[in-house]
């Protein structure tokens, strides 16, 4: 599917990123395995995780190089893309997968917890994509795959920073898809459902929680990789600006925001008439903020 293509996968030292990197290589891509080897909250760093995945790829007969630059800094992110060009002569696709978590209820969240998560997820996706865009424009081809989350698309407790970043990535992807369409560059999002360290902190204090976690553990990161490979391939040439989810063996196309209901009033609106007429009529279209409701039936990742 991606024979001869050069693909950058960020956050590829473990979890979903690792399986995407392995799958890219198994389908013929030359892979830059990027990972700073940090803890889940972004602290520390090690070259070990990236190198281990590279060793796996090479042992299977594939081609890969490690990279430990951070996506959270523009100059550093640019070096990730340059690593691909210097190592393999070009770049054909980027998978923006790197991420950290600093979960906290909104009223307790610090500025640093907010900033750190946005820097890795949203800024990181922008920095890497922007660095690759110059090459894609020049060669008149390229593909970007970004990891979003139902935490952003739907909502989740204690993740205002993560959710804001992930929904921001959707808007970023859509804008890239529009801006770079004339250069044959595509941009799409995946909301993955998979057991990884990113959700390893889900509590298991009750039988209900343990059952939920056992169910999620069946959704392995490897299930997400085939869609990422497809979206990076020429076979996905007509797929652009879309949002998909992968949940075990199920692939879904996620709807994008559209007006659900509209009301016109020829004489205009006052706050009172909105309260008396507009909101009661629109109320049936409201999404309930209730974890038990169908709108929240998918576990955010």
């Amino acid at each position: 599917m991606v024979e001869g293509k050069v693909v950058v996968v960020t956050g590829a030292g473990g979890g979903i990123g690792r399986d995407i990197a392995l799958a890219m290589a198994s389908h013929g891509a030359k892979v830059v395995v990027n990972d700073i080897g940090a803890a889940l909250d972004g602290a520390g760093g090690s070259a070990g995780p990236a190198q281990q995945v590279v060793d796996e790829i090479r042992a299977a007969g594939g081609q890969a190089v490690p990279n430990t630059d951070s996506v959270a800094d523009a100059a550093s992110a640019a070096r990730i893309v340059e690593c691909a060009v210097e190592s393999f002569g070009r770049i054909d696709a980027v998978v923006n997968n790197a991420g950290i978590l600093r979960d906290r209820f909104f009223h307790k969240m610090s500025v640093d917890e907010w900033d750190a998560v946005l820097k890795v997820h949203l800024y990181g996706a922008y920095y890497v994509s922007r660095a690759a865009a110059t090459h894609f424009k020049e060669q008149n081809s390229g593909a970007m795959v970004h990891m979003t989350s139902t935490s952003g698309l739907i909502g989740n407790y204690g993740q205002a920073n993560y959710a804001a970043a992930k929904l921001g990535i959707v808007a970023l992807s859509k804008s890239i898809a529009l801006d770079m369409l004339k250069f044959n560059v595509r941009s799409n999002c995946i909301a993955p459902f998979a057991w990884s360290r990113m959700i390893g902190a889900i509590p298991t204090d009750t039988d209900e929680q343990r059952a939920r976690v056992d169910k999620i553990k069946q959704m392995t990161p490897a299930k997400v990789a085939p869609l990422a490979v497809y979206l990076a391939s020429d076979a996905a040439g007509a797929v652009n600006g879309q949002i998909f989810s992968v949940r075990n063996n199920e692939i879904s196309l996620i709807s994008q925001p559209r007006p659900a209901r509209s009301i016109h009033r020829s004489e205009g609106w006052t706050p009172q008439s909105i309260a008396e007429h507009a909101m009661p009529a629109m109320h049936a279209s409201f999404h309930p903020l209730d974890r038990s409701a169908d709108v929240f039936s998918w576990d955010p990742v």
Side-chain angles (χ1 to χ4, degrees):
M1 290 294 287
V2 286
E3 184 70 36
K5 291 188 180 296
V6 178
V7 181
V8 166
V9 184
T10 68
I16 294 172
R18 171 185 172 273
D19 277 287
I20 290 174
L22 293 173
M24 290 288 186
S26 72
H27 285 274
K30 302 169 185 176
V31 184
V32 174
V33 178
N34 164 262
D35 201 298
I36 65 172
L40 186 57
D41 65 356
S46 168
Q51 186 61 56
Q52 184 174 351
V53 176
V54 167
D55 291 343
E56 288 184 66
I57 290 173
R58 290 175 177 172
Q63 298 184 62
V65 294
N67 177 277
T68 57
D69 286 299
S70 171
V71 301
D73 173 79
S76 180
R79 289 195 295 270
I80 301 171
V81 172
E82 288 307 310
C83 177
V85 176
E86 292 173 3
S87 300
F88 301 118
R90 61 184 288 119
I91 181 169
D92 296 287
V94 296
V95 180
N96 286 310
N97 171 76
I100 65 170
L101 286 178
R102 294 194 181 180
D103 291 355
R104 190 85 60 193
F105 282 117
F106 181 71
H107 58 284
K108 297 180 179 180
M109 186 170 290
S110 69
V111 171
D112 179 66
E113 288 167 337
W114 169 267
D115 194 53
V117 171
L118 263 74
K119 277 292 180 66
V120 174
H121 288 275
L122 184 55
Y123 279 63
Y126 165 73
Y127 288 146
V128 176
S129 299
R130 179 63 186 86
T134 301
H135 298 279
F136 290 168
K137 179 178 178 290
E138 291 175 354
Q139 68 197 30
N140 203 46
S141 67
M144 301 180 189
V145 181
H146 317 275
M147 292 297 157
T148 184
S149 170
T150 51
S151 288
L153 297 171
I154 297 172
N156 198 21
Y157 294 118
Q159 291 192 319
N161 47 6
Y162 181 72
K166 287 304 192 182
L167 193 55
I169 285 173
V170 171
L172 173 66
S173 177
K174 187 73 172 183
S175 296
I176 293 171
L178 292 169
D179 286 349
M180 302 203 69
L181 177 62
K182 61 184 177 182
F183 305 117
N184 295 313
V185 176
R186 296 171 288 105
S187 181
N188 294 283
C189 289
I190 299 175
F193 294 81
W195 179 259
S196 70
R197 69 173 186 164
M198 289 288 282
I199 58 170
I202 292 176
T204 54
D205 301 326
T206 67
D207 289 341
E208 182 181 1
Q209 289 173 336
R210 283 189 287 272
R212 177 190 176 206
V213 167
D214 288 342
K215 182 179 179 180
I216 299 173
K217 282 182 176 180
Q218 299 174 26
M219 304 176 193
T220 63
K223 299 287 190 177
V224 180
L227 180 58
V229 174
Y230 164 74
L231 290 173
S233 75
D234 293 340
V239 183
N240 198 19
Q242 302 304 315
I243 311 164
F244 300 94
S245 71
V246 180
R247 183 170 62 172
N248 211 14
N249 295 321
E250 175 187 67
I251 296 175
S252 300
L253 175 67
I254 303 297
S255 63
Q256 301 196 30
R258 297 290 186 271
R261 181 172 294 187
S262 299
I263 299 176
H264 175 266
R265 187 177 173 93
S266 58
E267 62 269 38
W269 294 96
T270 66
Q272 184 176 358
S273 64
I274 291 173
E276 293 176 353
H277 302 288
M279 288 304 108
M282 290 185 174
H283 188 266
S285 298
F286 288 177
H287 291 300
L289 286 174
D290 179 356
R291 290 294 301 186
S292 65
D294 289 342
V295 72
F296 283 115
S297 64
W298 286 358
D299 288 302
V301 175

